[in-house]
Amino acid sequence: MKKYSLLLVAAGLASSGAMAQTSVTIYGIVDTSIRYLSSDNAAGQKNFVITNGAISNSRLGFKGTEDLGGGLKAIFRLENGFNSDTGTLSSAGTLFSRQSYVGLSGSFGTVTLGRQQTPLFDLMADHFDPLTVGNYDQNAWMPAGATLVRNSNMIKYYGTFGGFAGGLSYAAGEKAGSVKTGSQFGATGQYTAGPFSIGGGYQQTISATNSDWKDTAYNLSLSYAIGAAKLFGGYYRIKDSTGTTPAYFGVSGSAAATNGGIGGVQRQDNAYFLGATFQATPAWSLTAAGYYDKSKNVTVATLGNLGDGSRYALVGVAEYALSKRTQVYGTVDYNKAKDAALTELVGKDSVTGVAVGIRHIF
């Protein structure tokens, strides 16, 4: 009798599985580059490295959907980041450091729970940053520092309604006795009409150690497509008293990146970007981008409040598609800093990077 009951249960599960269409996809990117840096330590010495790609970090992911009927779907994504040059995890000790969420999707939009990208990062990476947010410290500092890229313990909503698209998120700080401490709220909106698109967002992150310290970012961005070309431009306003911004704006190895800023001192940044992409042929694509930041109250934990500074970066990328899945590319970037922003570079007041690489998408 027990064996017969188990067979009936198995048959029922198989039948329900046949009615509910389910798909699971394994995907990833392996992107590796050979890179030269004109200054890569405090002595300003040059370096030659094998590292992750210029635009996309290497990753391995699993995503899936289940049709629940009536237009409703269950979805999930587990995405790991790894260093293709060494085979190590991009975040030590965290298996799915990039994304780890489950949710529901339907005519109302999509609701997901778990570790996810911030809505402001999605807006920039998918629509407005000319480089779709680069991967090297020297070309990603501005959009990464403004959007903070991703967060854990997040509830996120995204929906599209005609030409309008919007996102909302709340990440719980999970601090006993305080709902506010360590939390994050984000909101974005975008309107697209033909070749023109305008979007913007707001994000506020509360310090995990002091609920009075806040990292607040505002953004307004535009894009316009003209034939095979697309133009981009935007503005960020950042007010940060958590000490987080220097850790993103600082190039790896510098005092700012190593130590972060000083909590309780509000840093302010007015940052601008411009760029263009051009599909020269079906195989060749070209990208140019410029980033400029004017900063106030630049702090470094070990050095104190250094005052005001400015910095700009110029980036060029040429990509050639060997196939739909494999591309080779070359890139060059130049960063220049003045006054207090010098702490964001390493060794010298300007750093040049040149790289070639190959990316395979599967």
Side-chain angles (χ1 to χ4, degrees):
M1 185 69 178
K2 185 176 181 179
K3 181 178 180 181
Y4 179 69
S5 297
L6 289 174
L7 288 172
L8 285 176
V9 171
L13 290 173
S15 175
S16 63
M19 289 187 294
Q21 295 181 353
T22 302
S23 68
V24 177
T25 302
I26 301 174
Y27 68 95
I29 299 175
V30 184
D31 192 352
T32 309
S33 61
I34 304 168
R35 181 158 169 81
Y36 161 83
L37 286 166
S38 65
S39 178
D40 199 33
N41 62 15
Q45 294 176 316
K46 302 172 183 179
N47 204 1
F48 180 78
V49 298
I50 310 297
T51 188
N52 253 307
I55 306 300
S56 55
N57 206 332
S58 297
R59 67 200 69 176
L60 174 65
F62 307 85
K63 61 182 179 180
T65 65
E66 180 186 15
D67 189 346
L68 302 175
L72 186 65
K73 294 182 180 180
I75 60 174
F76 80 91
R77 184 185 295 264
L78 301 171
E79 189 173 278
N80 154 272
F82 65 92
N83 301 308
S84 57
D85 53 321
T86 62
T88 57
L89 295 174
S90 57
S91 295
T94 305
L95 179 58
F96 296 113
S97 58
R98 294 181 62 86
Q99 299 191 77
S100 173
Y101 65 76
V102 65
L104 294 172
S105 178
S107 59
F108 58 87
T110 301
V111 177
T112 47
L113 295 87
R115 180 168 176 77
Q116 303 173 71
Q117 295 171 169
T118 66
L120 191 53
F121 178 81
D122 284 338
L123 186 72
M124 303 314 300
D126 295 341
H127 302 286
F128 292 111
D129 187 80
L131 298 173
T132 63
V133 182
N135 189 54
Y136 298 144
D137 293 326
Q138 292 83 4
N139 63 19
W141 55 278
M142 182 186 292
T147 67
L148 303 185
V149 186
R150 56 184 62 90
N151 209 339
S152 299
N153 312 311
M154 182 185 291
I155 303 169
K156 182 176 173 182
Y157 169 80
Y158 185 80
T160 57
F161 308 93
F164 178 80
L168 292 170
S169 71
Y170 171 77
E174 298 190 344
K175 300 292 182 181
S178 175
V179 174
K180 185 178 178 182
T181 305
S183 65
Q184 182 188 79
F185 172 78
T188 60
Q190 179 186 4
Y191 179 74
T192 302
F196 174 77
S197 186
I198 182 170
Y202 167 85
Q203 183 173 286
Q204 185 172 90
T205 307
I206 309 299
S207 168
T209 59
N210 189 320
S211 61
D212 292 328
W213 299 349
K214 304 173 183 178
D215 182 352
T216 306
Y218 307 84
N219 166 259
L220 178 65
S221 297
L222 304 167
S223 70
Y224 189 80
I226 308 173
K230 193 169 186 178
L231 308 178
F232 304 88
Y235 166 75
Y236 298 104
R237 170 69 164 167
I238 305 171
K239 297 180 179 180
D240 176 27
S241 57
T242 68
T244 301
T245 300
Y248 281 88
F249 276 36
V251 173
S252 179
S254 70
T258 303
N259 299 302
I262 300 173
V265 178
Q266 186 180 84
R267 169 174 171 152
Q268 298 181 33
D269 291 87
N270 286 292
Y272 307 83
F273 66 90
L274 291 170
T277 60
F278 179 62
Q279 195 69 44
T281 72
W284 278 104
S285 64
L286 306 173
T287 302
Y291 302 89
Y292 173 79
D293 177 56
K294 182 68 176 176
S295 50
K296 294 183 178 181
N297 292 328
V298 177
T299 66
V300 179
T302 57
L303 302 176
N305 189 343
L306 303 176
D308 304 341
S310 62
R311 175 183 173 185
Y312 69 85
L314 302 174
V315 186
V317 181
E319 298 180 77
Y320 182 79
L322 298 173
S323 70
K324 290 183 178 180
R325 295 181 176 272
T326 304
Q327 305 87 37
V328 292
Y329 57 83
T331 178
V332 59
D333 51 82
Y334 175 79
N335 277 250
K336 175 76 172 179
K338 292 178 59 178
D339 302 324
L342 284 168
T343 58
E344 296 174 5
L345 300 186
V346 55
K348 297 181 178 180
D349 64 357
S350 64
V351 176
T352 300
V354 180
V356 293
I358 181 171
R359 175 173 58 248
H360 179 73
I361 302 168
F362 63 91

